[in-house]
Every structure is written in structure tokens, then in C-alpha cells.
Amino acid sequence: MLIPAAARALTIPIVASGGIADARGLVAALALGADGVNMGTRFLCTQESSIDQQVKEQIVANSERDTQLIFRTMHNTARVADNEISRKVVEIEKAGGKFEDVRELVSGARGRRVFEDGDLDAGIWSVGLCQGLIEDIPTCADLIGRMVSEAEELINARLARFVSA
Ligand SMILES: Cc1cc2nc3c(=O)[nH]c(=O)nc-3n(C[C@H](O)[C@H](O)[C@H](O)COP(=O)(O)O)c2cc1C
């Protein structure tokens, strides 16, 4: 976690990003020196998110282990959901395949079918490890309200206990 290094070097506000999906992540980021957080995967799985309901339910069902790293051999690693297509891409790369060999599988047109039609094995789709922390599909208002109140509780109760009176 290099947020403290960024905080030491910067005078502008810092937004931490990656792996944050609940109040614990928010409080940890604040402790590291961030002023706020960005959440990709967590907002993907909210009522307001325009992706198909099936994808949201798959995020809830998935654990932190259900991802694949593609494009590693091309020095352009991307984390995507584990599915038929991402496993196939990794296999082709392991066998020495080049981008041309996976181009059609990783196309945006295929990925769109996942998000728009809920066809979970149509293509690759981005998702973070923090899907392992996601257990519901709340409205954004509920999500943020819950995160703020749980963060306050964490700071006032759990963290306060680590500080001597
Ligand atoms: C559906 C989706 C699409 C994304 N697309 C891109 C992208 O095209 N380029 C990029 O640099 N990051 C992309 N990201 C990563 C986000 O910008 C952000 O850094 C990341 O989601 C934060 O981590 P988190 O998902 O654990 O909150 C994407 C993330 C998601 C969930």
C-alpha cells in the first residue's frame, strides 16, 4: 500500500482506488492518508448501475478467487471475471499466443453482450477482487449511507479501543 508515499509527496487531495467496497476499506484508506475513495466494482453492483441484473447477481455470487489476469504475456495485465472466455484467453497466452490470437475473444463487442444482455460467457468483463466483499445490490444512497455510518462506528468503537484513555 503506497498511499502513504503519495500522501507524503502530494499537497492535493488523494482519492484511494482499488479493492475498496465497504466501510473497512474506507477507514483503512483514510488511515493510510487518503482523503476519499473511488469504487469501481462496488458501484457496478448497485441498483442504479445500468448493467444487466445477471451480472450483478454473478458479482454477489463470486468470491475474491473468481477472476483471471489476462494480457500478462503482453505486459498489459488486466483483471477480469473468471469465465469461459477469460480462461480460454489465459490458455492461449500460455501456449504462446499473441494478441491476434485473442483479439476476437476480448473484443468490446463481446464484452458489451455481457453487460447489456447478461450473457455471462459472451466475453471478458472487468471486475475487481473486492467482489469477494460484495453480498448485495443496494441503492447508491443505501450503500453510501451504510458506509459512512459503519465507518463512524469503526472509528469510534473498534479503533478507539486501540488508543489508551
Ligand atoms: C466495469 C469496469 C470497467 C473498467 N474499465 C477500465 C478501463 O477501461 N481502464 C482502466 O484503466 N480501468 C478500468 N477499470 C478500473 C477502474 O477504473 C478502477 O480503477 C477500479 O475499478 C477500482 O478498483 P475496484 O473495482 O476494486 O473499486 C474498470 C473497472 C470496472 C469495474
Side-chain angles (χ1 to χ4, degrees):
M1 266 298 177
L2 285 173
I3 293 168
R8 195 171 51 207
L10 299 173
T11 54
I12 56 171
I14 296 168
V15 176
S17 181
I20 300 163
D22 61 18
R24 292 162 296 185
L26 168 61
V27 172
L30 297 178
L32 288 165
D35 299 286
V37 298
N38 162 64
M39 300 189 295
T41 300
R42 180 61 274 200
F43 278 119
L44 201 56
C45 196
T46 56
Q47 294 289 330
E48 289 90 338
S49 159
S50 59
I51 64 170
D52 190 273
Q53 180 70 14
Q54 304 249 68
V55 184
K56 299 179 192 179
E57 286 170 14
Q58 190 63 51
I59 292 172
V60 171
N62 279 353
S63 82
E64 65 280 5
R65 296 167 64 87
D66 298 315
T67 70
Q68 292 288 337
L69 293 174
I70 60 168
F71 302 151
R72 281 197 108 161
T73 57
M74 300 166 205
H75 307 292
N76 192 22
T77 308
R79 187 179 297 280
V80 296
D82 177 55
N83 68 5
E84 273 176 31
I85 302 295
S86 60
R87 283 193 294 272
K88 200 181 282 182
V89 171
V90 170
E91 231 170 73
I92 292 169
E93 284 190 70
K94 273 192 185 146
K98 300 292 169 223
F99 185 70
E100 278 312 310
D101 304 306
V102 299
R103 177 196 290 273
E104 197 278 324
L105 290 172
V106 303
S107 73
R110 274 179 171 270
R112 237 171 113 161
R113 274 165 46 206
V114 177
F115 285 135
E116 290 185 1
D117 305 337
D119 183 354
L120 294 164
D121 285 310
I124 55 160
W125 52 286
S126 291
V127 75
L129 289 177
C130 68
Q131 67 178 351
L133 298 171
I134 296 175
E135 290 172 344
D136 59 2
I137 308 168
T139 64
C140 291
D142 284 348
L143 172 64
I144 293 167
R146 182 171 79 195
M147 279 184 69
V148 170
S149 61
E150 287 178 9
E152 287 171 354
E153 167 74 13
L154 259 174
I155 294 164
N156 289 328
R158 180 173 160 75
L159 295 190
R161 284 202 302 274
F162 289 99
V163 183
S164 56

